[in-house]
């Protein structure tokens, strides 16, 4: 097996590899990695080298290595040698070590031009190093099976630098140069579309394994506040698309020509969230690892309790790719269908909607098999949501007239289409969901297959993400389900999921619900399910039990257990123990079991009487450890005989009553939700799945858990975020209900929410108070169905003295009388009473709802003393209040700052007797009134769409050196002005707060000399007399960031310069563009006129950053377009670019990208190259630049910024004005 072969070879290398300068050969942190140290003798420096097998499953024949170092201050020639280590394909561990060591030796000896002859037969030189090495070894040593190994979490190191393996020079030099030009063209298209772009590995150097990252701030995607909260997104994060090329960069044309559209091997995609615009290379490799990291508790250990279970998702500082709430479905869609749909669009002219429908209708068929294509695939796509989205989301690069489409750009636009509009698509089949109402939570369509795949196999939204993001909501849902099943009122059951469970008749009654009253079946529900298949009664199996080794010893010839099955075991004795566990290994007659789960100790001898009715019974409660037998028991029976029941009964074949029993039993075996969250967080956000915790959660229990979470279509959010044991202050909390934990229904079930909103519009019209709020109380076992289906009055529980309908009250004390209360033991144990889930962290004892009702009391059945509403579509739950075990943490009751105005005739009172205050967030923005009046002396305020200002505006992280170079440089051969390899990783450029010392280079690579511009003769706009707080703060941040970039990069590579001495006003920048590529006509004209730069004036208006800056050329004058010039320069010197108008500007654009795109525009030779005006060097006048800018906007239909006239047009001088002296 591949893994066993790798482990064997690694062990052989650790024991036998010998080299005078190589030591400490050992297994790396990641799976499939090898680490060793190399001694650099001249200085005694020890260099840590790591080699990573990118796919252990391909070892030992077709695997590849990535070789890199995590050390600092590595000599440049050794770093270059690692980068040029050559091909290591198919080398075993020892052969790889020989080759890397020889490469470093020859580089250190001075042979850097060709540090290793690729024709060296390494295979013939390794035999003396490792004796007896056999990749195909298949011994019985305890090396572990493939499923027991997985990649570890790579340690974060800001100085990690990857040196990817280079491809053999099988392509011609011309082909490589052509590929480099295409790479730059594709990535420039991404940058010009407004995205951040980066690359990892030797993308431009013909590397085989490399990555491209495309990212954008979440805040720029036009996602509503409600959706961000429901999707657990942080607006300051980046949405990041990671593209991996495993055979060198492949253009879209090459990929389409290959014909491999379904999960192509040469390119693959991952999506996620990141704190930075790109991620470290080790995290990129980890994101694509095919072998999942195994959690330590798979062998029985518990999650690390040091993990902060209250940490909010997406708020950490990790540089890795953090999980996205629909990351799995989106990645599957892109890897399986994207290239095929691009092919359909290119060949047939579909839009995205038509290509998606065509794919679903013609899967597996030849695209050209049909002579006639249905016109429905060409129909325009109608989406009310799309019309309100920014251009980043709706732009379609493939539909534009382009001859060389950029795959990274197309892939990013497609990913954003299905992210921002995720509620419009089924997350299993990915077809459009026809609905007139926009849901907050993405879901699956109504097709039976999609519903089955979602519930049974976990396709679609991730329940693991819900557990990490909102653990208390999950705790709430499980508790409600358990309570309902415990009293026999769980009508909707997890059927159709092929759950394998034990036969209920073989389990003692107290094993199913040892801490609650006897089961009370629902007679009416029993009659509704008469078609169940009868379960044949049988006896439990018997076996000897080896407690020390957790093994069952079956009778000879008995083969009833197989690996990965679950069993329920009853161990007799004075203290009887019962537990569940997984079968790890079945070597009949010996069965090795996993760690015990949900151990129950019972002091009384077993009989037919339920435990709760036996006098003197004292159950210990569920735990996860077995008690050691007493000395007497050891003497009596070393291997006691036990009974066990196999999980081999189909849940669907049980009776209704038995299904309730088994549902409770399975939920009792689950760990607490916070334990599940800690386990998932311990996986560092990679491939989070509870399926891997296979020794703790049975497949049946996991299926019920998935059903509970996935079947809830209401969008419930935590109001009280508990951090370090204390609730964090929230503006969403209802005032007047101290000592109650609160949950907000951001949206009910989409279909019911739609009917409710339509009822408000139809019934209330333009009333000042279209709805009112009132309390509704109900026992815990009713809330499972209420959350999913809403309220109804089919069953009569407390009489109907005031008519048929749903009863509400304005006084909370009235409704509390109908909600009941469940008591927990005072000793704090996990034992539950009357149907409360034992593993609940909240330990909910009571629940009550605050409902929004259509304000039409005259049409109610009754208005006094209760509000009785018969129209079910008029009722929608908005808040749920629960009494938990630690209610005192909610003693503080602070009214919200922004409130929702209630009908004064029907204002509910809270638990403290005062009228409750409801925050404005209780209703969606579209339904919020324009004004509201706060009582109790709070003055009237506008609250329509108020969002509290966030002073912590994120600063755009700086672009890496290599990412700027690949976009700016046209030196396609990869040599020439390429900067030396830095000793440290340049990720984020490690910019210092103070001005860093400029890097020293042996000789200048540009003729530009900073600080030589004579500014006294420049014709400038009048110095601005305005200043606004918003623009000033934005400019301070932008100026500091831009100057840091200038101080970090060499002048010839950056291509622009800002003289600090000329910055007399931050609203007015003088910038010089220089070091243009020597082959450009513009560069030749500048040299002919003895000019070193093009001088720009950049002016910022009072509405910046909401309006773009005004950028114009001061000198020299360019040849106009009518006279044969180009470079996007107007006749008056203004730049003809949509980016610099309100039509193309984005408030989050930074000056680094603006200057990059201005320089690229001037360097463009399409349709004509930029040229200078012949004759004497002259300057542009301010007035002609302003007029030319306005003419260009009108000619192209672009929008002139509204503050343009007041900021610039009315502020032009009549003659050149020198800058004030410094």
């Amino acid at each position: 097996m591949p893994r066993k072969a790798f482990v064997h070879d690694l062990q052989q290398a650790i024991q036998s590899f010998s080299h005078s300068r190589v030591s400490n050969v050992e297994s790396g942190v990641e799976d499939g990695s090898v680490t060793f140290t190399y001694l650099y003798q001249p200085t005694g420096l020890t260099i840590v080298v790591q080699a990573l097998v990118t796919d252990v499953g391909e070892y030992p024949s077709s695997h590849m290595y990535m070789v890199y170092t995590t050390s600092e201050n590595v000599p440049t020639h050794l770093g270059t040698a690692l980068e040029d280590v050559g091909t290591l394909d198919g080398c075993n561990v020892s052969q790889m070590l020989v080759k890397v060591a020889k490469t470093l030796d020859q580089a250190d000896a001075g042979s850097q031009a060709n540090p290793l002859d690729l024709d060296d037969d390494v295979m013939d030189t390794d035999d003396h190093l490792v004796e007896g090495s056999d990749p195909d070894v298949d011994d019985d040593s305890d090396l572990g099976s493939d499923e027991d190994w997985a990649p570890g979490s790579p340690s974060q190191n800001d100085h990690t630098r990857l040196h990817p393996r280079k491809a053999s020079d099988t392509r011609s030099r011309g082909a490589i140069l052509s590929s480099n030009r295409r790479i730059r063209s594709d990535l420039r298209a991404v940058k010009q579309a407004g995205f951040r772009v980066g690359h990892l590995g030797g993308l431009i150097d013909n590397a085989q394994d490399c990555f491209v990252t495309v990212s954008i701030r979440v805040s720029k995607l036009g996602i509503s506040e409600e959706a961000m909260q429901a999707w657990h997104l942080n607006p300051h994060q980046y949405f990041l698309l990671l593209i991996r090329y495993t055979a060198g960069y492949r253009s879209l044309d090459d990929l389409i020509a290959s014909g491999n559209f379904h999960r192509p091997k040469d390119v693959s995609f991952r999506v996620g969230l990141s704190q930075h615009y790109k991620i470290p290379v080790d995290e990129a490799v980890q994101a694509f690892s095919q072998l999942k990291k195994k959690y330590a508790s798979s062998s029985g250990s518990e999650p690390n309790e040091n993990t902060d279970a209250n940490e909010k998702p997406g708020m950490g500082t990790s540089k890795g790719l953090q999980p996205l709430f629909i990351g799995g479905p989106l990645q599957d869609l892109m890897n399986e269908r994207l290239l095929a749909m691009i092919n359909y669009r290119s060949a047939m002219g579909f839009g995205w909607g038509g290509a998606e429908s065509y794919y679903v209708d013609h899967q597996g068929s030849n695209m050209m098999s049909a002579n006639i294509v249905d016109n429905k695939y060409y129909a325009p796509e109608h989406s009310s949501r799309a019309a309100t989205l920014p251009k980043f989301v709706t732009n379609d690069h493939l539909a534009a007239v382009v001859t060389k489409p950029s795959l990274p750009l197309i892939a990013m636009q497609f990913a954003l289409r299905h992210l921002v509009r995720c509620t419009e698509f089924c997350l299993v089949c990915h077809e459009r969901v026809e609905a007139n109402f926009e849901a907050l939570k993405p879901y699956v369509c109504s097709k039976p297959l999609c519903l089955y795949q979602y519930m049974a196999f976990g396709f679609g939204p991730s329940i693991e993400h819900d557990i990490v993001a909102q653990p208390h909501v999950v705790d709430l849902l499980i508790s409600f389900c358990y309570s309902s099943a415990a009293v026999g009122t769980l009508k909707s059951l997890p059927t159709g999921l092929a759950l394998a469970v034990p036969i209920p008749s073989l389990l003692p009654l107290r094993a199913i619900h040892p801490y609650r009253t006897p089961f009370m079946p629902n007679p009416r529900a029993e009659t509704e399910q008469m078609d169940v298949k009868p379960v044949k009664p049988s006896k439990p199996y018997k076996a000897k039990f080896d407690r020390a080794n957790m093994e069952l010893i079956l009778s000879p010839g008995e083969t009833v257990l197989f690996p990965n099955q679950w069993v329920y075991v009853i161990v007799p004795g004075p203290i009887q123990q019962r537990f569940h566990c997984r079968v790890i290994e079945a070597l009949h007659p010996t069965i090795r079991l996993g760690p015990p789960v949900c151990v129950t100790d019972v002091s009384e001898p077993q009989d037919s009487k339920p435990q709760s009715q036996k006098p003197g019974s004292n159950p210990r409660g569920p735990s996860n450890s077995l008690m050691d037998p007493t000395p007497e028991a050891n003497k009596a029976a070393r291997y006691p005989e036990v009974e066990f029941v196999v999980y081999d009964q189909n849940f669907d074949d049980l009776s209704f009553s038995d299904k309730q029993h088994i549902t409770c039993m399975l939920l009792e075996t689950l760990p607490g939700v916070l334990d599940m969250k800690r386990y998932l967080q311990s996986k560092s956000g990679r491939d989070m799945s509870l399926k891997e915790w296979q020794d703790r959660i049975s497949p049946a229990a996991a299926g019920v858990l998935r059903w509970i979470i996935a079947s809830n279509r209401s969008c419930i959010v935590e109001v009280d975020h508990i951090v370090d044991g204390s609730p964090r202050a929230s503006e969403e909390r209802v005032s007047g209900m101290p000592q109650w934990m609160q949950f907000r229904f951001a949206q009910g079930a989409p279909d019911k929410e739609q009917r409710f909103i339509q009822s408000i519009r139809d019934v209330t019209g333009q009333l000042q108070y279209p709805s009112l709020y009132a309390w509704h109380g109900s026992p815990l076992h009713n809330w499972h169905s209420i959350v999913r289906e809403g309220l109804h009055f089919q069953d009569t529980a407390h009489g109907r003295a005031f008519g048929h309908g749903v009863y509400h009250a304005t006084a909370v004390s009235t409704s509390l009388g109908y909600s009941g209360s469940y008591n927990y033991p005072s000793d704090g144990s996990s034992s539950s009473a009357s149907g409360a889930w034992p593993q609940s962290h909240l330990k909910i004892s009571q629940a009550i709802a605050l409902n929004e009702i259509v304000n039409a009391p005259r049409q109610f059945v009754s208005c006094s003393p209760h509000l009785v509403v018969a129209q079910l579509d008029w009722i929608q739950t908005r808040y749920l209040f629960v009494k938990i075990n630690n209610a005192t943490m909610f003693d503080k009751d602070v009214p919200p700052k922004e409130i929702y105005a209630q009908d004064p005739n029907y204002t509910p009172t809270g638990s403290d007797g005062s009228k409750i205050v409801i925050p404005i967030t209780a209703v969606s923005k579209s339904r919020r009134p324009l004004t509201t009046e706060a009582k109790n002396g709070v003055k009237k305020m506008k609250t329509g769409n108020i969002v509290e200002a966030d002073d912590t505006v994120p600063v755009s992280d700086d672009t890496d050196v290599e990412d700027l170079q690949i976009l700016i440089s046209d030196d396609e051969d990869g040599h020439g002005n390429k900067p030396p390899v830095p000793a440290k990783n340049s990720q984020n450029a490690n910019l210092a707060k103070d001005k860093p010392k400029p890097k020293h280079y042996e000789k200048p690579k540009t003729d530009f000399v900073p600080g030589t511009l004579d500014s006294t003769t420049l014709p400038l706009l009048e110095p601005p007399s305005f200043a606004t707080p918003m623009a000033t703060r934005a400019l301070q941040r932008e100026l500091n960031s831009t100057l840091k970039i200038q101080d970090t990069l060499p002048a010839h590579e950056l291509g622009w310069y800002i003289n600090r001495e000329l910055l007399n006003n931050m609203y007015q920048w003088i910038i010089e563009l220089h070091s243009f590529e020597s082959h450009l006509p513009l560069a030749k004209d500048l040299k002919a006129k003895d000019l070193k730069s093009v001088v720009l004036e950049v002016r910022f208006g009072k509405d910046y950053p909401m309006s773009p800056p005004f950028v114009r050329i001061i000198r020299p004058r360019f040849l106009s377009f009518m006279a044969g010039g180009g470079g996007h320069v107007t006749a008056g010197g203004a730049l003809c670019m949509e980016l610099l108008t309100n039509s193309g500007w984005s408030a989050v654009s930074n000056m680094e990208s603006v200057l990059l795109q201005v320089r690229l525009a001037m360097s463009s030779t399409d349709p004509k190259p930029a040229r200078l005006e012949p004759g004497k060097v002259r300057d542009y006048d301010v007035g002609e630049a302003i007029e030319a800018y306005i003419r260009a906007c009108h000619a192209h239909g672009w929008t002139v910024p509204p503050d343009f006239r007041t900021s610039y047009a009315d502020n032009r001088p009549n003659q050149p004005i020198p800058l004030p002296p410094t």
Side-chain angles (χ1 to χ4, degrees), residues 1133-1207:
L1135 273 298
C1136 184
M1137 298 175 64
E1138 186 180 12
L1139 168 70
L1140 300 176
T1141 70
N1142 262 30
S1143 300
W1145 178 255
S1146 171
V1148 295
S1149 296
N1150 56 62
M1151 287 306 298
E1152 170 206 354
S1153 63
V1154 169
L1155 294 177
L1156 171 64
Q1157 294 186 60
V1158 167
R1159 194 174 188 278
L1160 289 175
M1162 285 189 186
S1163 302
S1164 174
T1165 58
D1166 183 24
K1168 300 176 182 178
R1171 302 297 302 267
L1172 296 185
E1173 179 187 71
K1176 184 179 178 181
V1177 176
R1178 297 191 301 151
D1179 299 340
Y1180 285 104
D1181 183 67
V1182 173
E1184 64 179 328
I1186 292 175
E1187 292 170 359
Y1189 174 85
I1190 296 175
R1191 284 198 308 268
C1193 289
H1194 291 165
H1196 293 281
W1198 299 334
T1199 303
V1200 177
D1203 66 337
F1204 184 82
R1205 181 167 296 278
T1206 57
S1207 298

Side-chain angles (χ1 to χ4, degrees), residues 1-9 58-61 92 132-140 143:
M1 293 184 291
R3 170 171 298 288
K4 186 172 289 188
F6 174 79
V7 174
H8 178 271
D9 288 354
E58 297 179 350
Y59 192 90
S61 56
N92 63 30
S133 177
D134 184 4
D136 299 323
V137 64
D138 191 13
D139 56 19
D140 294 330
L143 296 177

